[in-house]
Amino acid sequence: MELIATAESLEQAEALLDAGADRLYIGGHPFGLRLPQPLSLEQIEDVIKRAHQRGKKVTVSCNALMHNQQIAQLPDYLQKLADFGADAVAIGDPGAILTLKELKLELPFVYDAGTLVTSAEQIAFWVNQGASGAVAARELTLKELFAMQKKLKQPVEVQVYGPTCIHQSGRPLLTNYFTYTHAEAPDQQLFLRDPKNADSQYPIFEDEDGTHIFSTEDLSLIGQLGLMVENGLETWKLDGVLLHGDRFVRIVALFDEARRAIEAGAFVPESFANRLAKLQPAHRPLGTGFYLKNPEDVH
């Protein structure tokens, strides 16, 4: 069982490693999307060094859909990541994968194309192109994920905690909105609201990569971890893009404790679910997204 956690800084990275994370997920502009904090190459090198000193690993996000200018910049970036000893890059753009292959670097890649990763056959195609594994779409059900993993030797990474991105645009939508309305953009977290649901809050933020809109709730599969292990899904990602600082570290530590309980045969799903609920911010309800639905109800 592997725990993967996003990291927003060197300080948080060290705390996450101490909390039980096996692999850190980091990255920077203009190649990595939806990161809790973009890191410079120097910061990425520092995180990799600290992780390796602890016998842990680092995956660097290169999951953007890349335009000509980004592709032109990519070889130097990938070369530096290889020089730093990055353990893998998460990448989904076929042009970026071709660039990586042409460079012939000792830099494995995990196939990460967001909503496109929906079948074992698609993953198998990219495994034949050199992928060491794949990140499953968040819109799949556990039944579908179990069936996928049974067909594959490579690990299928599943998000077990954190928000789901439901819209990504390369355009500065917030900037355009406030420019058009002549209003001053507030210096705080912004939300969209469903006019039919006064309690809904869809976090929206803009950065150098564009505009990102997230789900109203955070995914949590802490109660289903035992079932996932029984079906071969043992690569778990925790995403802290909307949850910063020590609270996210404590949640990662709880998932590590759940993992150790499973290994010891002492896992009580309800207990861990209740403890996670106490750590969760009040304005972000927990849910299981599509995971517990029947595939027929989703398609």
Side-chain angles (χ1 to χ4, degrees):
M1 290 172 271
E2 182 179 39
L3 278 183
I4 304 170
T6 59
E8 63 188 15
S9 65
L10 178 60
E11 293 73 23
Q12 191 191 51
E14 292 182 316
L16 289 166
L17 294 170
D18 292 340
D22 304 297
R23 183 185 294 265
L24 299 176
Y25 185 91
I26 58 175
H29 296 306
F31 306 110
L33 298 181
R34 297 178 295 278
L35 301 162
Q37 186 67 36
L39 303 184
S40 67
L41 278 168
E42 293 76 14
Q43 291 171 314
I44 290 173
E45 183 179 20
D46 283 344
V47 171
I48 292 172
K49 285 181 178 178
R50 302 295 177 90
H52 288 177
Q53 287 170 358
R54 289 169 165 81
K56 306 294 183 73
K57 297 180 179 181
V58 175
T59 293
V60 180
S61 173
C62 293
N63 61 341
L65 290 175
M66 301 188 194
H67 294 249
N68 292 335
Q69 184 178 2
Q70 288 164 289
I71 290 290
Q73 298 171 341
L74 187 60
D76 287 343
Y77 190 76
L78 292 174
Q79 181 64 63
K80 286 185 172 64
L81 296 182
D83 292 342
F84 298 160
D87 298 284
V89 290
I91 195 167
D93 185 305
I97 293 172
L98 177 62
T99 300
L100 176 61
K101 292 181 67 175
E102 290 175 341
L103 292 172
K104 298 181 179 179
L105 301 173
E106 292 187 8
L107 188 59
F109 79 91
V110 177
Y111 181 59
D112 180 7
T115 58
L116 300 181
V117 190
T118 55
S119 73
E121 288 71 22
Q122 184 186 163
I123 294 174
F125 173 86
W126 288 106
V127 167
N128 287 335
Q129 303 302 312
S132 60
V135 179
R138 276 55 167 171
E139 292 76 16
L140 293 173
T141 66
L142 280 180
K143 288 184 179 179
E144 292 172 297
L145 289 166
F146 295 161
M148 286 171 59
Q149 185 64 83
K150 287 178 181 178
K151 294 182 179 181
L152 298 164
K153 295 181 181 179
Q154 293 73 22
V156 176
E157 177 188 308
V158 179
Q159 182 176 333
V160 295
Y161 175 81
T164 302
C165 183
I166 62 174
H167 179 77
Q168 157 75 31
S169 172
R171 292 173 292 175
L173 300 182
L174 288 177
T175 296
N176 292 344
Y177 170 80
F178 287 109
T179 299
Y180 179 78
T181 59
H182 304 290
E184 184 176 349
D187 185 22
Q188 60 186 25
Q189 174 67 63
L190 298 175
F191 300 90
L192 296 177
R193 178 164 293 158
D194 182 346
K196 297 179 181 179
N197 181 1
D199 296 327
S200 62
Q201 291 190 115
Y202 295 88
I204 178 172
F205 73 86
E206 178 185 305
D207 59 17
E208 295 177 38
D209 301 311
T211 308
H212 317 268
I213 303 173
F214 289 89
S215 56
T216 60
E217 64 181 21
D218 284 338
L219 290 173
S220 170
L221 288 182
I222 200 164
Q224 288 72 41
L225 295 181
L227 181 62
M228 292 174 67
V229 171
E230 291 174 7
N231 287 273
L233 292 174
E234 299 185 347
T235 303
W236 306 335
K237 166 85 171 292
L238 290 88
D239 194 333
V241 63
L242 297 181
L243 183 62
H244 304 284
D246 180 65
R247 194 194 294 255
F248 181 61
V249 175
R250 285 184 283 155
I251 287 174
V252 172
L254 183 64
F255 273 80
D256 177 58
E257 186 179 340
R259 170 175 56 177
R260 288 185 276 113
I262 292 171
E263 292 172 338
F267 180 63
V268 180
E270 296 80 4
S271 174
F272 281 97
N274 290 337
R275 291 170 63 188
L276 177 60
K278 293 178 181 178
L279 291 172
Q280 182 70 4
H283 69 283
R284 293 291 295 170
L286 292 168
T288 53
F290 293 96
Y291 287 137
L292 299 189
K293 296 181 181 294
N294 289 318
E296 297 78 12
D297 297 333
V298 176
H299 302 308

